[in-house]
């Protein structure tokens, strides 16, 4: 059919799909390098989401898909979904990323964090079939041109947390993982994570204060 | 609004992980709507989820999955305008959504002595209700089997532990016996959620309990 043919054409558009793929691979190699380079890498994901948002860039989307879909699938399988359901839901999550790219605010959260919240909500729908009330949205961002320093900070927060998670004693990390995979009931979730959450909290807190001042 | 009583880390983490019963989700979402401090703490727990996803093992997607997803997004429009839920008077957006409007839309049922309640439609693993307590009036003395969250929306109450004003949340467990009393003046309106039926210490409310669904 013509429609499908047109889609295929778009999907295989030669101009950037391969470029992004190459970048993607470079990314995973660079990740093993210094922290500074790793930060650079995280910023790239945010830039790709913005390309999806601003230009409906399918090649950027494909790069995001290749990186995040297998992670979302693994997350859902660890949460108790079988491979078929996890694959389906990972597709849903990525389609949601496409549709809701305009809601992503790179100065508030990393792409990984944003994708996590989409995956979490999809899991609640699929596995628990419950509603999840969300907090009131604030009349802020995402701004058309986010402050690059803030974007970098948001991505670095996730990097730092990842490093801190890796350094936790095995038992403690397992407990946090179980909390996020739904293996713990809410009453079993421990108060102390041992993670450096204070910096992230302060960053968001400052941004909120600024917003409140602008509003008043 | 100066909030003195906040959500605990375990509650925020459980909400970030998506592991709370719906009734508790509602209370957390409502408090976070009012409290920047807890909103920022919630964001930090969501970042833990993000960091875990990023360091996560991968599960290979099937070969055609990208092509399938590409086909799929071709048929999807990208939403561009957001239509956020609106706050309605003293009811923050997530709560207004459950009530279907402002406080005037609440279908109260009398509990006696001017105290009223309205059960909200949530999943059965925990229950949520709005409470209407005239100034000076006590909520019947009760113990808990499980966890109870009480969020003040208007007015204030005091119990043996402290004073709770607008935005404050009291978190009580089974060890706690308390007698909340609404402060004189403005009617106290609260959102409460519990994962077990309340057990009242007075004989009459206890008899009434199954019928009131509390």
């Amino acid at each position: 059919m013509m429609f499908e043919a047109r889609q295929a054409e778009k999907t295989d558009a030669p101009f950037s799909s391969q470029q992004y793929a190459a970048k993607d691979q470079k990314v995973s190699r660079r990740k093993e390098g210094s922290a500074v380079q790793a930060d650079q890498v995280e910023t790239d994901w945010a830039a790709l989401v913005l390309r999806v948002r601003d230009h409906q860039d399918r090649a950027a989307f494909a790069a995001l898909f290749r990186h995040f879909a297998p992670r979302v699938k693994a997350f859902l399988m660890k949460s108790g979904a079988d491979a078929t359901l996890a694959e389906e839901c990972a597709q849903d999550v990525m389609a949601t990323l496409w549709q809701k790219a305009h809601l992503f605010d790179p100065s508030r959260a990393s792409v990984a964090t944003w994708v996590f919240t989409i995956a979490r909500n999809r899991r609640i729908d699929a596995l628990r079939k419950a509603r999840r009330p969300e907090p009131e949205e604030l009349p802020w961002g995402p701004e058309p041109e986010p402050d690059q320093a803030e974007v970098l900070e948001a991505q670095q927060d996730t990097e730092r947390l990842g490093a801190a998670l890796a350094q936790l004693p095995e038992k403690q990390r397992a407990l946090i993982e179980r909390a996020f995979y739904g293996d713990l009931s809410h009453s079993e979730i421990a108060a102390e994570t041992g993670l450096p959450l204070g910096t992230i909290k302060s960053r968001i807190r400052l941004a909120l204060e600024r917003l409140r001042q602008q509003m008043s | 609004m100066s909030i003195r009583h906040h959500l605990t880390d375990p509650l925020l983490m459980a909400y970030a992980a998506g592991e709370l019963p719906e009734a508790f989700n509602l209370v957390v979402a409502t408090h976070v709507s009012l409290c920047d401090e807890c909103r920022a703490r919630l964001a930090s727990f969501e970042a833990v989820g993000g960091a875990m996803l990023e360091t996560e093992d991968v599960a290979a997607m099937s070969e055609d999955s990208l092509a399938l997803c590409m086909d799929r997004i071709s048929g999807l429009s990208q939403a561009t305008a957001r239509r956020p839920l609106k706050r309605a008077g003293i009811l923050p957006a997530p709560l207004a959504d459950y009530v279907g409007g402002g406080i005037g839309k609440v279908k109260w049922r009398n509990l006696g002595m001017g105290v009223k309640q309205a059960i909200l439609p949530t999943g059965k693993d925990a229950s949520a209700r709005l409470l209407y307590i005239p100034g000076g009036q006590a909520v019947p003395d009760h113990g808990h089997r499980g966890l109870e969250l009480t969020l003040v929306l208007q007015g204030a109450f005091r119990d043996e532990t402290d004073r709770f004003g607008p935005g404050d949340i009291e978190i009580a467990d089974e060890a706690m016996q308390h007698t909340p009393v609404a402060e004189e003046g403005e009617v106290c309106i609260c959102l409460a959620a519990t994962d077990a039926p309340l057990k009242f210490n007075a004989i009459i409310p206890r008899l009434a309990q199954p019928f009131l669904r509390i």
Side-chain angles (χ1 to χ4, degrees), chain A residues 12-170:
Chain A
D12 299 327
F15 54 91
S16 46
S17 152
Q18 275 154 5
Q19 276 171 14
Y20 281 123
K23 203 166 164 190
D24 196 13
Q25 279 162 14
K26 209 157 57 189
V27 159
S28 41
R29 276 205 309 277
R30 268 198 290 168
K31 261 203 150 153
E32 290 147 23
S34 76
V36 178
Q37 280 172 331
D39 292 335
Q40 196 61 48
V41 169
E42 282 299 325
T43 312
D44 284 349
W45 297 127
L48 292 186
V49 176
L50 297 188
R51 290 196 59 78
V52 167
R53 181 189 75 183
D54 297 335
H55 308 289
Q56 292 74 49
D57 186 328
R58 297 167 66 87
F61 179 77
L64 288 160
F65 186 98
R66 278 189 290 269
H67 181 76
F68 286 106
R71 285 171 171 78
V72 170
K73 185 176 175 184
F75 167 72
L76 292 167
M77 286 176 72
K78 286 189 189 170
S79 305
D82 63 32
T84 314
L85 179 63
E87 168 118 5
E88 255 177 55
C89 290
Q91 293 244 10
D92 294 343
V93 168
M94 296 312 294
T96 303
L97 178 149
W98 173 267
Q99 274 191 295
K100 297 198 169 169
H102 64 291
L103 292 177
F104 173 62
D105 186 342
S107 58
R108 277 164 66 192
S110 68
V111 178
T113 296
W114 184 54
V115 171
F116 160 74
T117 61
I118 300 173
R120 169 200 66 197
N121 293 355
R122 187 69 193 88
R123 186 185 68 189
I124 294 173
D125 267 2
L127 300 180
R128 301 188 46 163
K129 308 211 185 313
R131 262 178 92 184
R132 178 191 165 86
E134 295 282 345
E136 208 160 278
E137 276 182 46
L138 294 173
W140 69 354
E143 290 161 45
E145 297 296 332
D147 181 315
Q148 283 309 309
E150 288 184 357
V151 173
L152 192 62
E153 251 182 281
Q155 317 306 316
Q156 282 173 339
D157 279 344
T158 299
E159 291 282 329
R160 269 196 292 267
L161 260 189
L165 262 172
Q167 280 164 15
L168 281 183
E170 176 56 33

Side-chain angles (χ1 to χ4, degrees), chain B residues 30-49:
Chain B
T30 304
H31 176 82
V32 167
S33 300
L34 298 168
C35 178
D36 285 352
E37 176 69 16
C38 288
R39 193 185 283 269
R41 286 165 63 213
L42 173 62
S44 74
F45 284 112
E46 288 181 333
V48 176

Side-chain angles (χ1 to χ4, degrees), chain A residues 6-14 17 58-59 62, chain B residues 66-67 70-71 74:
Chain A
R6 209 169 54 225
Q7 279 171 3
E9 206 175 34
K10 270 193 197 164
T11 310
D12 299 327
S17 152
R58 297 167 66 87
Chain B
L66 176 56
M70 281 301 199
D71 276 358
S74 300

Side-chain angles (χ1 to χ4, degrees), chain B:
Chain B
M1 175 173 319
S2 62
I3 295 173
R4 293 171 47 239
H5 298 278
H6 297 274
L7 289 160
T8 60
D9 280 349
L11 273 169
L12 280 169
M13 183 155 141
Y15 179 77
E19 288 308 313
L20 286 179
E22 185 184 347
F24 288 172
N25 279 340
L26 178 59
V27 179
V28 171
T30 304
H31 176 82
V32 167
S33 300
L34 298 168
C35 178
D36 285 352
E37 176 69 16
C38 288
R39 193 185 283 269
R41 286 165 63 213
L42 173 62
S44 74
F45 284 112
E46 288 181 333
V48 176
M52 276 180 45
L53 191 72
E54 192 58 66
T55 55
E56 184 89 38
D57 312 326
V58 296
M61 297 287 283
S62 59
E63 265 178 41
D64 58 350
S65 68
L66 176 56
L68 283 171
C69 204
M70 281 301 199
D71 276 358
R72 186 165 156 195
I73 60 169
S74 300
L76 290 176
S77 61
Q78 280 178 316
T80 47
R82 51 168 82 200
R83 273 187 223 93
L85 293 167
K86 287 265 159 48
R87 162 182 307 239
I90 61 163
L91 304 186
L95 187 53
D97 188 36
Y98 272 72
V99 167
I103 200 77
K105 290 271 185 191
V106 178
K107 297 185 183 70
W108 296 107
R109 291 187 56 176
N110 287 315
L111 292 184
M113 309 294 282
V115 178
K116 297 189 267 190
Q117 75 164 2
I119 313 257
L120 299 172
T122 62
K124 294 211 183 307
D125 43 1
S127 64
R129 66 220 153 96
L130 283 163
L131 286 168
Y132 177 104
I133 310 156
Q137 198 56 249
V139 179
D141 181 28
H142 55 275
H144 308 267
R145 283 176 294 160
L147 181 65
E148 190 188 45
L149 310 179
T150 310
L151 170 65
V152 179
L153 300 163
Q154 175 191 298
F157 70 78
R158 279 177 191 279
D159 66 10
E160 290 81 346
T161 64
D162 210 338
R163 175 186 189 271
F164 296 82
D168 282 335
I169 189 157
E170 180 171 58
I171 298 165
D173 63 12
E174 34 207 298
M176 186 168 172
Q177 289 280 326
H178 65 157
T179 315
V181 177
E183 271 189 0
E184 288 295 344
E186 201 173 20
V187 168
C188 178
I189 295 175
C190 304
L191 170 66
T194 177
D195 58 359
L198 294 182
K199 60 177 187 225
F200 284 100
N201 292 334
I203 182 90
I204 300 301
R206 195 191 306 156
L207 287 174
Q209 202 171 331
F211 306 108
L212 296 173
R213 273 182 65 209
I214 49 179

